[in-house]
Amino acid sequence: MRAFTYHNPTRIEFGQGKEKLIGQYMAEYGVKKALIVYGSDRIKQNGLFHSVVNSLVENSIAYETLGGVVSNPLLSKVYEGIEIAKTRGVDAVLAVGGGSVLDSSKAIAAGAKYDGDVWDFFIGKGFPKQALKIFDIMTLAATGSEMNNYGVVTNEMTREKLSLAGPTTYPTVSVINPELQATVANDYLAYSASDIFAHSLDMYLSATYLPEYMAGYVENILKTVMRTTELLLADSTDYNARAEFAWAATQALNFTTFCGVENNRFDTHFLEHTLSAEYNIAHGAGLSIIMPAWMKWQKQHQPQRFERFAKIMFGVNGADAGIDALKTWYSKIGAPVTLKEGNIPETDIPMLTDKLQAVAKLWGAEALYTRDMITGVLENAK
Amino acid sequence: MRAFTYHNPTRIEFGQGKEKLIGQYMAEYGVKKALIVYGSDRIKQNGLFHSVVNSLVENSIAYETLGGVVSNPLLSKVYEGIEIAKTRGVDAVLAVGGGSVLDSSKAIAAGAKYDGDVWDFFIGKGFPKQALKIFDIMTLAATGSEMNNYGVVTNEMTREKLSLAGPTTYPTVSVINPELQATVANDYLAYSASDIFAHSLDMYLSATYLPEYMAGYVENILKTVMRTTELLLADSTDYNARAEFAWAATQALNFTTFCGVENNRFDTHFLEHTLSAEYNIAHGAGLSIIMPAWMKWQKQHQPQRFERFAKIMFGVNGADAGIDALKTWYSKIGAPVTLKEGNIPETDIPMLTDKLQAVAKLWGAEALYTRDMITGVLENAK
């Protein structure tokens, strides 16, 4: 195993009804005034917003609100939140929603304690040394944002989708009540499964050294996601399946999978973020298109890992059979697997390659993400 | 899945040479004066003590020392440490050793901030609300103490072996350098494997609801321990095996295995602590005696779980075959499996039953640990 540091300070409150205790959790950390960030007004119709506000009031926590966060969340909305936080004496951000809402909230929390432009943190000009306290109630399981410090936001002016992260942007308390995640539509459930798969497979299929322990650990996450996705597509009210799906999502990106591995990369996320920034498709849908295409390119670098994946996950022999089986499974659950299925014009491949090269340059990763590699993967997605 | 809270604030620094950075880690948390707690003088002979002290001095951290902690660590030594900490202005405890040293250090850290008798925390009179900061460098992987808040100590006056735990007794930083664990003798490696097995199996074989995700998670820990124990018995210099063994030990008792499970108990640890308090045998040796005996009693309550265990871990059919296979494996690696092999007189069973009943009463667990159950398990260990 390779050397590593593991330190994840987030407290998880998992289970039915725990959102009703959010005010109590926040009061434990001395919160006086929160900015509630959310997406659509659905949470006002289904009573969640009401429960949350009640809990804050009961615990003498004042609040401001910011609704309207969208999928592939926008920098302009983050600026709006920072303005509210700065001018109205907010000391914590409470995200009520999915990964987009929480990621926006992380950016707001960091920007509220920063004199410059919060976008600095996304383009590598330092990292947030201070931030407001972050709390969340997750209504969708996918991004794992509830137990990590990453926040992904799209700058709609430049059409760049980038991330910030710092020691201060871990949530203080994350509430996961699987019941609140039970109304997700089947297509979004499939996209979520694809997102969790990508968090796991990016590492599993790229690491140049993968401890046997970690291989088994990640395979257990993948198997859980496959099993519970199928159970939930058959019966959306299956609480235990919903709960295991949610917990697998959290584990897939709380950095436990990185412990002791060498050179794990994040290729499909790197490639996908430009797709969803450009075409505003769901992140998980972009990933189910990119993943098999990337695997066809990556298999040459990790032939044994791909054979193991094929055998253990699908009981088939050989890298290609494993890739095909995953593609078939994505189709079965309703996730797109080609550019065409994602309504992405194949003729855009040269333009996308240019864009991705520019991002690679920003990351100092041009040697890894060459034109040949990027075009090759996108061509595989035809 | 059942509701749970997960919050583990410990930072892990894993890898070769990291003990040389301990002063830096402690300085990050503002430590000015540490009490270094250790066991035998072996760490002075092999250079570890010297490295640690150098690192403290480089970071302007003063120190006191307390050596002589033994296996099944004693309350009298804890009192000694508390006295030093209180009278000499120590603000952190640094454990350099195995689980016994760290557990003693947790008790010292708690006792140093308490006006009453630290033993209060062991017998259920409250829990430590304050404690000195705790740091450690682990020279043995087994107890998982490096990423949890439990400390087990033996009161030699009463021959009680009990534990304390509180929100303040998690280590702040734990250093795991597998190289420092490479000199452990083969018998102690086997006892360590038995300890990790017990941390995993107590939960796995008792929980009345075990999410499928968690079953796979624990089986992966168990398989890692089996595989790496065999690798290390064949070649004690196998760094990656040593590292995976260490990481499996940490994962087995950092409370990740408890998330979402129902009614998991800690039966073999409950039963064993009285054995090692009474006969001063190694904790892991006591556990390898108790585990198969307890399994023979427990199998009636979880027949399907036992069948699964047998199949997945040893490829055999039926609960009894699984128990026999585990017993055979313990014997193969050199861990005792009967009272006789542990030099425990079978005629002591009635006395041990009395003692265990008294502890059960202290825990309010008489209904669970009945005379019939205790005697039955001990009889199975003949």
Side-chain angles (χ1 to χ4, degrees), chain A residues 1 6 12-13 213 240 244, chain B residues 1 5-6 12 240 244:
Chain A
M1 289 177 79
Y6 184 78
I12 299 287
E13 290 290 349
Y213 171 82
N240 283 326
E244 289 203 48
Chain B
M1 290 177 79
T5 298
Y6 185 79
I12 299 288
N240 282 327
E244 288 203 49

Side-chain angles (χ1 to χ4, degrees), chain A residues 72-84:
Chain A
N72 301 317
L74 301 174
L75 182 60
S76 54
K77 184 58 75 175
V78 169
Y79 287 149
E80 214 181 306
I82 292 171
E83 180 64 19
I84 298 173

Side-chain angles (χ1 to χ4, degrees), chain A residues 46-236:
Chain A
N46 67 15
L48 176 56
F49 184 83
H50 188 69
S51 291
V52 167
V53 164
N54 269 357
S55 180
L56 295 185
V57 170
E58 272 168 24
N59 289 277
S60 308
I61 297 171
Y63 64 90
E64 301 285 340
T65 63
L66 176 69
V69 175
V70 294
S71 299
N72 301 317
L74 301 174
L75 182 60
S76 54
K77 184 58 75 175
V78 169
Y79 287 149
E80 214 181 306
I82 292 171
E83 180 64 19
I84 298 173
K86 279 186 170 174
T87 56
R88 302 194 207 160
V90 159
D91 56 9
V93 183
L94 169 58
V96 183
S100 295
V101 173
L102 178 49
D103 285 12
S104 300
S105 299
K106 288 177 178 177
I108 293 167
K113 289 283 208 174
Y114 181 58
D115 287 335
D117 180 353
V118 72
W119 192 246
D120 289 350
F121 300 136
F122 292 83
I123 55 173
K125 291 189 188 165
F127 61 87
K129 289 183 187 65
Q130 285 188 292
L132 301 179
K133 282 201 167 62
I134 300 157
F135 297 82
D136 60 85
I137 296 169
M138 297 306 284
T139 60
L140 189 78
T143 67
S145 190
E146 64 275 13
M147 206 175 175
N148 69 45
N149 58 346
Y150 274 81
V152 180
V153 170
T154 297
N155 181 334
E156 62 265 56
M157 282 75 83
T158 62
R159 282 197 186 166
E160 288 171 301
K161 186 174 180 180
L162 298 171
S163 61
L164 101 174
T168 55
T169 52
Y170 283 92
T172 299
V173 179
S174 289
V175 171
I176 305 172
N177 172 359
E179 280 187 340
L180 298 179
Q181 307 178 346
T183 53
V184 62
N186 281 352
D187 53 353
Y188 269 82
L189 179 69
Y191 305 156
S192 299
S194 157
D195 196 13
I196 307 168
F197 254 68
H199 295 155
S200 307
L201 285 180
D202 268 356
M203 184 287 281
Y204 179 92
L205 295 172
S206 71
T208 50
Y209 171 72
L210 180 67
E212 180 72 19
Y213 171 82
M214 208 49 82
Y217 179 82
V218 171
E219 285 153 4
N220 186 50
I221 292 173
L222 293 171
K223 285 177 186 173
T224 301
V225 172
M226 281 188 71
R227 179 174 48 78
T228 56
T229 301
E230 293 175 16
L231 287 170
L232 290 170
L233 288 176
D235 175 8
S236 70

Side-chain angles (χ1 to χ4, degrees), chain A residues 28-49:
Chain A
E28 285 177 39
Y29 296 90
V31 174
K32 300 287 179 213
K33 186 170 187 181
L35 172 61
I36 305 174
V37 181
Y38 60 99
S40 78
D41 274 347
R42 197 172 61 87
I43 65 163
K44 292 198 169 172
Q45 289 139 24
N46 67 15
L48 176 56
F49 184 83

Side-chain angles (χ1 to χ4, degrees), chain B residues 105-249:
Chain B
S105 299
K106 288 177 178 177
I108 292 168
K113 290 281 209 175
Y114 181 58
D115 287 335
D117 181 353
V118 72
W119 192 246
D120 289 350
F121 300 137
F122 292 82
I123 56 174
K125 290 189 186 165
F127 60 87
K129 289 183 188 64
Q130 284 188 291
L132 301 180
K133 282 201 167 62
I134 300 158
F135 297 81
D136 60 85
I137 296 168
M138 297 306 285
T139 59
L140 189 78
T143 66
S145 189
E146 65 276 11
M147 205 174 174
N148 68 45
N149 58 346
Y150 274 80
V152 179
V153 170
T154 297
N155 182 334
E156 62 264 55
M157 281 76 83
T158 61
R159 281 200 188 164
E160 288 171 302
K161 185 175 180 179
L162 297 171
S163 61
L164 101 174
T168 55
T169 51
Y170 283 91
T172 299
V173 179
S174 288
V175 171
I176 305 173
N177 171 0
E179 279 187 340
L180 298 178
Q181 306 178 346
T183 53
V184 61
N186 281 352
D187 53 352
Y188 268 82
L189 178 69
Y191 305 156
S192 299
S194 156
D195 195 14
I196 307 169
F197 254 68
H199 296 154
S200 308
L201 285 180
D202 269 356
M203 184 287 281
Y204 179 92
L205 295 172
S206 71
T208 50
Y209 171 72
L210 179 67
E212 180 73 19
Y213 170 82
M214 209 50 82
Y217 179 81
V218 171
E219 285 153 3
N220 186 50
I221 292 172
L222 293 169
K223 285 178 186 173
T224 302
V225 172
M226 282 189 71
R227 179 173 49 79
T228 56
T229 300
E230 293 175 15
L231 286 170
L232 290 170
L233 289 175
D235 175 9
S236 70
T237 68
D238 184 336
Y239 177 82
N240 282 327
R242 185 76 63 187
E244 288 203 49
F245 185 92
W247 194 229

